[in-house]
Each structure stands twice: as structure tokens, then as C-alpha cells.
Amino acid sequence: LYTAIYDDSLWLINLVENLLSVTRIEDGTMQLKLTAELVDEAVAEAVRHISRQSAEHHIIIRQQEDFLLAKMDARLIVQVIINIVDNAVKYTPSGKNVDFIVEIRQNGTEKDVIFTVQDEGVGIPAKEQQRIFDRFYTGSNGRSGQSNGIGLALARELTTLHHGRLTLKSEPGKGSCFTVALPLDLPPTVSAKE
């Protein structure tokens, strides 16, 4: 009973945080507090808040560098990571792997920090991939239960606010790969009104 209450409270906290962020974006009050942050600290914070269902999976975290600094609003990037990894856990059968890779990649003359979440889940049909980042859209595959269609939409919006990109590659029956690319250096001030 305690575990069920705890799991539901974590889900509710994440839902409220997502809804608050959506509201701030819509009314233009979302202000990013950009500072140089250790990427591994943001990753560790996100992992602490990932759904307890993740205990049923093998979450493998690989990082290219130990002390990687990126200019970001760490609180919001933690929310992005939680939403993407929770989604991978939700649509991946128990006992399967969810790989989480952090690396630096050259992007023209600039460098990006890349977060890749690769699962061994059910995958997303091609016809649904165009809508997967729409608010309140939930896919047809995966576990029944608490899904509200906000997580991935918000993850993309928060990534875009950071002048980054959130992309998807997926094949039904072979899993999905979500990639967040954030520029290491951002403009000094960024807001949802831009």
C-alpha cells in the first residue's frame, strides 16, 4: 500500500510540474535561468526522480566526460530528462534495457551536448511519430495506466527554449531513440516569449 501511494505521489508531482511549465510557456512567463552547470549533476538529479517502474528495467548511463559543463537551466533540463526516460520505461517491457548516453558532438562550428535515450520497447508506428510531440497525444502502444500526453510535448518545448532540438527515431518492435541536442553556449537571456 505504501509503495502504491508513493508511486502515485511521484506521478502526481511530475504531472503538476509539467502542467505548471506548460502554463508558464503559454502565458509567456517562463524565464530560463541560464548558468554553467555540471551535466552529470543534472543527470543524477533526474535519475533520482525517475518513475519507480524503472527498477524493472536495466537503465544504463554512459557519459563521455566526467566534468562536462553546459549553459542551461538545470531545473528544466532535469524535467526534460525525466519525461523522456519515464516515457522509455513506460513503453519498454520489464527486464529490457534503457540506454542513456551523454556526449559532446560537433555541430558546424559549435558544439552540442547530446542526451540519447534508447529503449528496447514496442516502438512507435510511423503514422504516430508525427504526432508524438503534440500535447495530450498518447500513443496506441505500451502499458495502460497513467499517461497524459504532456511529457514529450513539454520536453520538446523546453529543449526548443534552450535553442536545442529533440528528435525521434523509432521502429515498431525494435524500440525508440530520443535525442536531445543542446548547444554548449547559449545567448545570455532566453525566454518563452522569443
Side-chain angles (χ1 to χ4, degrees):
L1 182 61
Y2 166 79
T3 301
I5 292 169
Y6 182 79
D7 289 348
D8 285 347
S9 66
L10 284 180
W11 175 82
L12 189 57
I13 288 168
N14 191 40
L15 174 62
V16 169
E17 287 176 354
N18 283 342
L19 289 172
L20 287 172
S21 292
V22 166
T23 302
R24 288 187 194 113
I25 289 170
E26 285 183 344
D27 68 13
T29 60
M30 173 72 76
Q31 296 289 326
L32 272 63
K33 296 175 182 141
L34 299 173
T35 56
E37 299 281 348
L38 280 170
V39 171
D40 61 335
E41 286 184 5
V43 170
E45 179 68 18
V47 168
R48 279 195 293 275
H49 291 89
I50 290 170
S51 163
R52 286 171 55 91
Q53 287 179 339
S54 64
E56 302 170 9
H57 302 77
H58 307 290
I59 298 182
I60 302 159
I61 301 172
R62 291 186 302 235
Q63 228 171 286
Q64 191 180 53
E65 298 178 30
D66 287 333
F67 298 104
L68 174 60
L69 280 172
K71 197 169 184 182
M72 66 173 112
D73 186 321
R75 173 183 54 93
L76 297 179
I77 295 304
V78 164
Q79 197 171 0
V80 168
I81 295 169
I82 290 169
N83 288 349
I84 294 171
V85 175
D86 273 351
N87 186 75
V89 166
K90 189 183 304 175
Y91 291 96
T92 300
S94 298
K96 296 287 189 175
N97 292 341
V98 175
D99 291 323
F100 183 25
I101 303 160
V102 183
E103 60 189 332
I104 296 291
R105 204 176 287 163
Q106 196 71 34
N107 179 18
T109 59
E110 307 294 323
K111 288 185 178 177
D112 290 340
V113 59
I114 307 293
F115 300 99
T116 303
V117 178
Q118 171 76 52
D119 65 51
E120 296 178 347
V122 295
I124 302 166
K127 64 179 181 178
E128 293 185 12
Q129 290 181 27
Q130 298 300 318
R131 299 196 55 209
I132 203 73
F133 295 109
D134 293 348
R135 281 191 200 163
F136 308 113
Y137 179 78
T138 56
S140 59
N141 292 332
R143 297 179 175 186
S144 59
Q146 298 167 324
S147 182
N148 50 48
I150 296 174
L152 290 178
L154 181 60
R156 177 171 267 184
E157 290 176 41
L158 293 176
T159 301
T160 301
L161 283 177
H162 280 80
H163 293 250
R165 298 170 313 283
L166 172 54
T167 57
L168 162 69
K169 289 183 183 174
S170 185
E171 189 175 336
K174 296 189 177 179
S176 300
C177 180
F178 289 89
T179 303
V180 175
L182 298 175
L184 282 179
D185 295 310
L186 288 171
T189 59
V190 182
S191 76
K193 294 178 182 177
E194 291 183 348

